[in-house]
Amino acid sequence: MAEGSDTTLTAGIRSFAVGHGGAKAVIEYVGKRGARIVLVGEDGAWTDQFADGTDIARKACEGAGVEVQNEWERELMEQMRPSGDLWRSMSRRSMAR
């Protein structure tokens, strides 16, 4: 796990949720790497974290008191607000043909 331990992952998720008025999570399987946890705060801010597997990701979210969505719902996607840094980094990328 990128964060080092289950408790560190849970603490990071809890910290994000507290800092953004609550949060919801979507867990995505990413093969050998494990699972990606995308956290969406009630204020529209979002971040992601990685766990060794989907079971660890679900357990960390449960421990942090964050609801896990089964899939990307329209309302959750509309709630996300990309940061200015993300827009700037996307504008520097070029499409390969």
Side-chain angles (χ1 to χ4, degrees), residues 2-60:
E3 312 312 315
S5 74
D6 293 352
T7 54
T8 303
L9 180 61
T10 301
I13 293 169
R14 183 179 298 120
S15 175
F16 178 84
V18 168
H20 296 280
K24 293 182 181 172
V26 176
I27 298 173
E28 301 172 335
Y29 175 71
V30 289
K32 290 182 181 180
R33 174 120 191 230
R36 177 181 184 214
I37 306 166
V38 181
L39 299 166
V40 181
E42 290 298 320
D43 62 357
W46 64 277
T47 189
D48 61 358
Q49 297 193 20
F50 286 88
D52 287 338
T54 56
D55 56 336
I56 294 169
R58 285 190 179 280
K59 189 180 292 186

Side-chain angles (χ1 to χ4, degrees), residues 66-85:
V66 171
E67 178 185 348
V68 176
Q69 303 291 301
N70 288 327
E71 60 186 35
W72 283 102
E73 297 289 336
R74 175 185 224 155
E75 294 80 20
L76 186 60
M77 291 179 68
E78 289 175 349
Q79 184 176 333
M80 293 175 77
R81 299 288 175 245
S83 69
D85 291 338

